[in-house]
Amino acid sequence: MPWEQDQDQMAENQHQHHRHHGSRLTRRKLMRTHESGNTHPLIWIAAILCTIIAIGVVIGGIVVFVGYMVIHPRIPVISVTNAHLDLLSNDYAGLLQTQLTIFVVAQNGNAKAHATFSDIRFNLSYQGQGIAMMVAQPFEVPKNHSKTLNYLVRSASIPLTPDQMEEVDASWKRDVIAFDLKGSARSRWRIGPLGSVKFWCNLECQLKFRPSNGSYINHSRCTSESK
């Protein structure tokens, strides 16, 4: 009968509704179980690794700071401490001959670290005319010591322009002549167990002499700057 069919249909709909509602409750329960479950082991491993790295960075910074305060490193320097003009001769043809003795000192002021100097190269010139290239093999300077490089620079006959010839004549008259020295050396020293530090020692200055007796006029200090 139609009425009975309607009841059957209503019962079937209620049964499907309860089954669908129960299915949603089951999914929600599963979701809650998953959300409230234990954290994945990979997350714990990543967190532990990040913590170890952070602690290592902090400890490394403290060690470097304490090491610097204890050792208090000083940058090695290179200086021209003395020099002498052994020969200065020019003729009417515009040829210049000269000989100089130059003392370059590598100073390591660190009381607790040895220093190494390498790539040493200095160019000596007069009024833009190259005279000589001064080089040296790598060497080590003990802590709180220095090493002197003794350069004997001889030039062949250097052709001068008319302006340069006039400058040489004027130098004879005022008894002062200047040569340009420019170059660099690489310094490296170890700060205990903290590793090594490297710097470039750049040297650029004028070496002034009295042609009458060859004496060195060191009014301005010729010392390297670090970079």
Side-chain angles (χ1 to χ4, degrees):
M1 294 180 69
W3 183 77
E4 292 179 353
Q5 289 180 355
D6 290 342
Q7 284 188 332
D8 292 340
Q9 184 65 35
M10 291 174 60
E12 180 65 23
N13 290 339
Q14 289 179 355
H15 177 70
Q16 289 181 357
H17 174 74
H18 288 304
R19 186 172 57 186
H20 181 67
H21 181 68
S23 177
R24 284 190 296 175
L25 290 175
T26 302
R27 285 200 299 270
R28 290 177 182 174
K29 187 181 295 184
L30 288 175
M31 290 175 65
R32 293 196 199 100
T33 303
H34 178 73
E35 290 174 356
S36 62
N38 295 329
T39 304
H40 198 284
L42 291 178
I43 298 177
W44 282 111
I45 293 173
I48 293 172
L49 289 177
C50 291
T51 304
I52 293 174
I53 293 173
I55 294 173
V57 170
V58 172
I59 293 175
I62 294 173
V63 170
V64 171
F65 177 76
V66 173
Y68 181 86
M69 296 301 296
V70 172
I71 299 174
H72 199 65
R74 299 176 61 185
I75 299 173
V77 296
I78 289 183
S79 304
V80 175
T81 58
N82 201 0
H84 191 268
L85 180 61
D86 304 325
L87 172 67
L88 181 66
S89 174
N90 63 302
D91 56 24
Y92 292 104
L95 297 177
L96 176 69
Q97 288 184 323
T98 185
Q99 177 177 306
L100 301 95
T101 301
I102 303 174
F103 298 94
V104 178
V105 175
Q107 178 72 42
N108 176 24
N110 292 292
K112 299 181 181 180
H114 291 265
T116 302
F117 291 84
S118 61
D119 299 322
I120 304 162
R121 187 178 297 270
F122 303 106
N123 181 48
L124 182 69
S125 62
Y126 175 74
Q127 297 291 314
Q129 291 276 12
I131 295 177
M133 181 67 71
M134 302 156 53
V135 298
Q137 294 296 320
F139 58 86
E140 185 176 282
V141 179
K143 48 191 175 183
N144 208 24
H145 278 72
S146 63
K147 180 180 176 62
T148 301
L149 304 176
N150 186 356
Y151 290 101
L152 180 61
V153 181
R154 296 188 182 95
S155 72
S157 296
I158 302 173
L160 301 177
T161 64
D163 292 339
Q164 291 170 340
M165 292 173 60
E166 291 181 4
E167 180 60 32
V168 173
D169 292 337
S171 297
W172 278 105
K173 292 177 182 178
R174 64 175 177 264
D175 199 21
V176 176
I177 188 168
F179 296 86
D180 297 313
L181 182 65
K182 183 178 181 180
S184 62
R186 188 181 183 91
S187 63
R188 173 180 175 271
W189 77 101
R190 295 191 62 83
I191 306 179
L194 305 181
S196 61
V197 180
K198 299 178 181 179
F199 280 94
W200 280 102
C201 300
N202 299 308
L203 189 65
E204 183 174 0
C205 54
Q206 277 194 333
L207 307 181
K208 295 182 179 182
F209 302 89
R210 297 200 179 279
S212 58
N213 56 17
S215 61
Y216 176 52
I217 307 171
N218 56 346
H219 295 312
S220 59
R221 190 178 180 184
C222 187
T223 303
S224 65
E225 296 181 356
S226 299
K227 185 177 181 181

